[in-house]
Amino acid sequence: MVRRTRPAPPATHRRPAHRRRTAILERMPQQRRRPVVTAVAALIAAGLVAGGFALTAQRSGEDPVVGAGAATVTPSATAADGAARDGTVTITRTGPDLPGADVLDRCDTDSRATVARYDTAALGQVVLQCGTSGQGYEHIRVRHTVDWRDVLGPRSDRDWDDAMLTAVQSVLESPPTGYPQDAGDGKVCYAAPVRFDDGSRPAAEPNVRVIVSATTDRVITAFPTDDGGC
């Protein structure tokens, strides 16, 4: 008996593995691949935004205040009736103790606590925080207490911060014509002459200068000076 040999099946051509994966991906519906691409793009965009914010905060040298953006500074040139104003700061020789013990007590635990708020025409609401050695009430206390005491001299028994807080409120909320002025590096400057409620002027440093951050809307410093202006 003769055994018949079954013919071998024709050889089939198999694609290499990497080509099969490519073909499968090409056959995948586009809507399945888009979410992956979209997610990657979103992550990249979020990283760029976060990096830009961190760089801005680092350059400014200040802690960013949430919700506070840069403001366009325009001088407060006239009073409401259109008349020019000199913006002279008047310090009363008697008056309440400012800002009050309860306010300063908060500064012992929170450097961002607010000591005072001011409504300004150029920047909107500006705050004086308890602050640090670099800005706010603490900076002014450390650097300029003696200067403010010299302003008061023998004419008043009020404390240094009574005079300082009175001057800051007056010059920010009712500035002289042409203020604020650009002080560079995201800051603006206010300045005004100082007098007492009896019409006399301080013998030493009869002007006040206040520096405000236009990017964080915070008072950085306030001090008396011999020369007027910024």
Side-chain angles (χ1 to χ4, degrees):
M1 180 176 180
V2 179
R3 179 176 295 179
R4 294 181 180 180
T5 303
R6 181 177 297 178
T12 58
H13 177 70
R14 297 178 62 85
R15 294 182 181 180
H18 69 278
R19 291 188 179 180
R20 291 201 303 273
R21 286 194 295 269
T22 302
I24 292 172
L25 287 175
E26 289 176 349
R27 291 197 300 269
M28 285 178 62
Q30 291 296 321
Q31 59 269 27
R32 290 186 180 179
R33 296 164 61 188
R34 285 176 185 167
V36 177
V37 176
T38 303
V40 172
L43 288 174
I44 294 174
L48 290 174
V49 171
F53 184 81
L55 180 60
T56 300
Q58 182 179 8
R59 286 180 177 177
S60 68
E62 300 173 350
D63 296 331
V65 175
V66 176
T72 300
V73 178
T74 55
S76 304
T78 58
D81 59 2
R85 56 192 178 198
D86 66 0
T88 299
V89 172
T90 300
I91 298 175
T92 57
R93 291 165 296 165
T94 60
D97 181 27
L98 301 175
D102 57 333
V103 175
L104 293 182
D105 285 346
R106 295 198 295 268
C107 294
D108 293 335
T109 57
D110 185 3
S111 64
R112 290 193 173 201
T114 298
V115 174
R117 295 182 184 272
Y118 310 104
D119 292 321
T120 72
L123 301 176
Q125 190 171 88
V126 170
V127 298
L128 173 66
Q129 293 181 329
C130 293
T132 64
S133 60
Q135 62 89 20
Y137 182 93
E138 179 64 13
H139 167 79
I140 300 170
R141 183 189 68 80
V142 171
R143 295 289 298 274
H144 301 295
T145 293
V146 174
D147 299 329
W148 284 107
R149 284 176 177 165
D150 288 344
V151 168
L152 292 172
R155 289 186 174 87
S156 174
D157 59 359
R158 301 190 73 183
D159 206 351
W160 71 272
D161 52 357
D162 298 333
M164 182 272 291
L165 291 168
T166 298
V168 171
Q169 179 177 10
S170 179
V171 76
L172 292 186
E173 296 188 345
S174 300
T177 299
Y179 289 94
Q181 296 179 359
D182 184 12
D185 196 25
K187 301 176 179 66
V188 296
C189 173
Y190 292 80
V194 177
R195 69 183 177 194
F196 293 103
D197 54 353
D198 64 354
S200 63
R201 299 197 66 194
E205 300 177 322
N207 301 281
V208 61
R209 188 175 300 161
V210 180
I211 306 297
V212 177
S213 169
T215 57
T216 62
D217 299 328
R218 296 186 300 194
V219 175
I220 297 174
T221 189
F223 52 90
T225 65
D226 287 322
D227 59 316
C230 289

